[in-house]
């Protein structure tokens, strides 16, 4: 049984079937990167072109509904998948030096998403942000029929220095699509984990929507800038993820409120989390050793820094188990000289490097 198509299937057909709820709950948003591969496979493309949805022998594994999804909303689907990938990639960058490094290997990410820890919060938020981002970008570049540049900002600035114009990134549409695809299924549920997830998805989307930049361009005779037009532009996604990482570090643990509907901070004295903050309800494992339940792969074999006191340092990263040092030799260009004109000559040197890996 392959699981990957379930979330997409549920998302795209409006999430009606009960069975979707079960599937969707157990599959991860990050798994969305898989279905697109299916849509791109040649046999699927041929299948689509022939417009023949009857599965015959060789296409047996291909459910006609899946084909239909590929056919009906391929562009949006593609952007959503790209968004999930963008989010996951940034997650890996932000956590590259930590015990949990957001690896997608061996179902690890899926296990992490099935829980309700800080890590779960971050992944949900960054994927929701990624989808907001890529759908918005697709609107601006004219790849989606249903949306274009945002033209709602009109007129001249209060000081008269510039006017709105150009192609503004349509973050409203990206935000809306991300919400539809990620949240709709859960709106009616009120258990703690669902509420936490919806909160974190929203925090992710807001980390894009609330941080739009204004970009301007000068017109007029060479550089005179007699006329300036400005438009709203997406922030850099790296900055979005960095902000979410800060929210991860300051995430608040929550518990169900007395009314059974709301969620409240576990520690009453802390400031209630805002809409852009990340929340979680379950303590994280230490990720030191492999654990099939938590999705931890352990840190044995990870490269660490023997002189750093931080999370990437061998002491913390290797969980006190110690580390091994290997010396590697690499050949690099060195003693380079510039010769008039125009040549650079170098020698080849061998550099020794020490690489530490956790035991
Ligand atoms: C992430 O960690 C796992 C195991 O802890 C390791 O196998 C993998 O290479 C790491 N990925 C990166 C990009 O460092
Ligand atoms: C290791 O950590 C030290 C201290 O934090 C830092 O100065 C050094 O650049 C790090 N080395 C590498 C290879 O990152």
């Amino acid at each position: 049984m392959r699981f990957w198509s379930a979330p997409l299937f549920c998302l795209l057909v409006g999430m009606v079937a009960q069975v979707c709820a079960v599937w969707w709950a157990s599959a991860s948003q990050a798994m969305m990167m898989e279905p697109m591969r299916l849509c791109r496979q040649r046999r699927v493309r041929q299948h689509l072109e022939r417009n023949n949805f009857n599965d015959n022998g060789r296409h047996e594994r291909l459910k006609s509904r899946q084909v239909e999804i590929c056919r009906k909303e391929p562009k949006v689907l593609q952007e959503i998948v790209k968004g999930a990938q963008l989010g996951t990639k940034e997650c890996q960058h932000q956590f590259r030096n930590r015990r949990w490094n957001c690896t997608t290997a061996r179902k690890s990410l899926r296990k992490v998403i099935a829980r309700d820890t800080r890590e779960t919060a971050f992944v949900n938020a960054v994927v929701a942000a990624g989808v907001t981002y890529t759908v918005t970008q697709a609107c601006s570049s004219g790849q989606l029929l249903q949306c274009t540049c945002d033209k709602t900002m009109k007129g001249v600035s209060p000081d008269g220095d510039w006017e709105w114009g150009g192609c503004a990134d349509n973050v409203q549409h990206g935000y809306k699509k991300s919400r539809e695809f990620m949240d709709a299924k859960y709106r009616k549920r009120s258990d703690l984990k669902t509420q936490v997830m919806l909160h974190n998805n929203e925090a992710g989307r807001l980390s894009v929507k609330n941080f739009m930049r204004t970009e301007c361009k000068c017109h007029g005779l060479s550089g005179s800038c007699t006329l300036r037009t400005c438009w709203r532009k997406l922030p850099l996604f790296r900055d979005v993820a960095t902000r979410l990482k800060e929210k991860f570090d300051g995430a608040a643990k929550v518990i169900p409120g007395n009314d059974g509907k709301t969620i409240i901070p576990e520690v009453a004295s802390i400031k209630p989390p805002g809409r852009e903050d990340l929340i979680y309800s379950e303590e994280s494992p230490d990720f030191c050793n492999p654990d099939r339940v938590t999705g931890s792969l352990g840190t044995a074999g990870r490269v660490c820094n023997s002189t750093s006191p931080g999370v990437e340092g061998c002491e913390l990263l290797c969980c006190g188990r110690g580390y091994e040092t290997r010396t590697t030799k690499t050949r690099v260009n060195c003693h380079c000289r510039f010769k008039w004109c125009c040549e650079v000559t170098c020698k080849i040197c061998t550099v020794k490097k020490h690489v530490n890996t956790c035991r």
Side-chain angles (χ1 to χ4, degrees):
M1 168 70 186
R2 298 190 57 178
F3 242 17
W4 46 257
S5 63
L8 256 305
F9 170 73
C10 299
L11 291 169
L12 291 170
V13 298
M15 307 160 187
V16 275
Q18 193 66 41
V19 79
C20 276
V22 182
W23 269 352
W24 176 239
S26 62
S28 79
Q29 292 169 345
M31 299 310 266
M32 291 200 297
M33 61 192 71
E34 293 286 354
M36 208 50 219
R37 279 223 304 265
L38 176 100
C39 292
R40 275 200 229 100
Q41 281 168 10
R42 212 176 61 204
R43 64 193 178 93
V44 179
R45 281 211 311 272
Q46 288 169 348
H47 205 55
L48 291 172
E49 279 156 17
R50 271 191 260 118
N51 245 348
N52 168 16
F53 301 118
N54 294 327
D55 293 339
N56 53 34
R58 285 177 60 207
H59 301 137
E60 206 174 357
R61 285 196 304 142
L62 203 64
K63 300 256 166 52
S64 59
R65 270 246 172 70
Q66 291 162 4
V67 175
E68 210 178 320
I69 290 161
C70 295
R71 188 173 63 109
K72 260 173 133 179
E73 289 221 58
K75 286 286 162 59
V76 180
L77 173 61
Q78 196 171 348
E79 296 313 319
I80 287 171
V81 171
K82 262 200 233 159
Q85 282 170 334
L86 177 66
T88 316
K89 213 175 106 216
E90 267 310 309
C91 178
Q92 282 169 355
H93 176 80
Q94 296 293 333
F95 286 84
R96 66 199 179 282
N97 293 326
R98 303 182 61 113
R99 285 183 192 163
W100 176 72
N101 66 5
C102 203
T103 178
T104 51
R106 284 181 275 150
K107 297 181 184 161
S108 169
L109 193 55
R110 202 160 117 188
K111 297 266 173 61
V112 168
I113 290 173
R115 304 188 81 83
D116 196 12
T117 62
R118 276 173 198 263
E119 287 77 19
T120 320
F122 184 84
V123 173
N124 282 331
V126 84
V127 167
V131 172
T132 306
Y133 201 88
T134 50
V135 173
T136 303
Q137 273 184 330
C139 290
S140 301
S141 62
Q143 289 176 48
L144 299 179
L145 291 175
Q146 44 193 282
C147 57
T148 57
C149 305
D150 184 0
K151 301 262 168 61
T152 52
M153 301 283 247
K154 284 199 185 104
V156 182
S157 67
D159 53 11
D161 276 0
W162 49 269
E163 59 182 79
W164 291 111
C167 175
D169 281 330
N170 196 344
V171 75
Q172 287 301 342
H173 188 81
Y175 173 87
K176 206 179 110 209
K177 273 286 152 194
S178 174
R179 220 172 125 97
E180 264 171 34
F181 279 103
M182 307 291 196
D183 291 11
K185 174 82 212 99
Y186 299 104
R187 286 281 155 63
K188 297 214 178 79
R189 290 180 25 188
S190 62
D191 59 291
L192 181 64
K193 212 163 140 181
T194 303
Q195 287 197 60
V196 168
M197 189 193 76
L198 291 176
H199 176 101
N200 292 328
N201 286 356
E202 179 69 5
R205 287 188 293 267
L206 292 180
S207 72
V208 177
K209 186 169 166 250
N210 290 352
F211 292 87
M212 297 292 282
R213 303 174 284 165
T214 300
E215 199 171 80
C216 299
K217 190 177 164 190
C218 283
H219 307 276
L221 290 173
S222 49
S224 66
C225 213
T226 44
L227 180 66
R228 214 150 57 105
T229 53
C230 302
W231 58 90
R232 302 290 281 163
K233 194 173 163 49
L234 284 167
L236 296 176
F237 197 70
R238 175 61 44 90
D239 296 343
V240 169
T242 304
R243 222 169 2 251
L244 288 174
K245 172 63 171 36
E246 281 160 20
K247 299 293 185 187
F248 169 91
D249 291 327
K253 189 171 182 193
V254 295
I255 53 172
N258 286 333
D259 59 2
K261 281 188 201 137
T262 51
I263 41 181
I264 56 171
E266 186 183 51
V267 182
S269 57
I270 69 162
K271 189 167 106 328
R275 291 177 71 206
E276 291 177 14
D277 294 326
L278 296 186
I279 57 175
Y280 65 98
S281 71
E282 190 186 339
E283 291 300 341
S284 301
D286 61 16
F287 292 105
C288 283
N289 298 304
D291 181 346
R292 277 197 290 160
V293 176
T294 60
S296 167
L297 298 181
T299 62
R302 288 282 301 277
V303 175
C304 61
N305 181 336
S306 58
T307 54
S308 166
V311 284
E312 77 278 15
C314 294
E315 188 53 39
L316 284 177
L317 192 67
C318 308
C319 305
R321 294 186 306 263
Y323 58 93
E324 273 154 27
T325 307
R326 257 183 311 130
T327 310
T328 59
K329 288 181 188 164
T330 44
R331 290 152 70 85
V332 295
N333 288 332
C334 58
H335 305 302
C336 293
R337 283 223 193 101
F338 180 72
K339 270 208 233 152
W340 187 262
C341 176
C342 297
E343 202 184 344
V344 179
T345 55
C346 295
K347 290 197 170 121
I348 304 279
C349 304
T350 310
V351 215
K352 279 190 191 169
K353 248 174 78 181
H354 299 293
V355 178
N356 307 309
T357 50
C358 293
R359 270 195 236 277

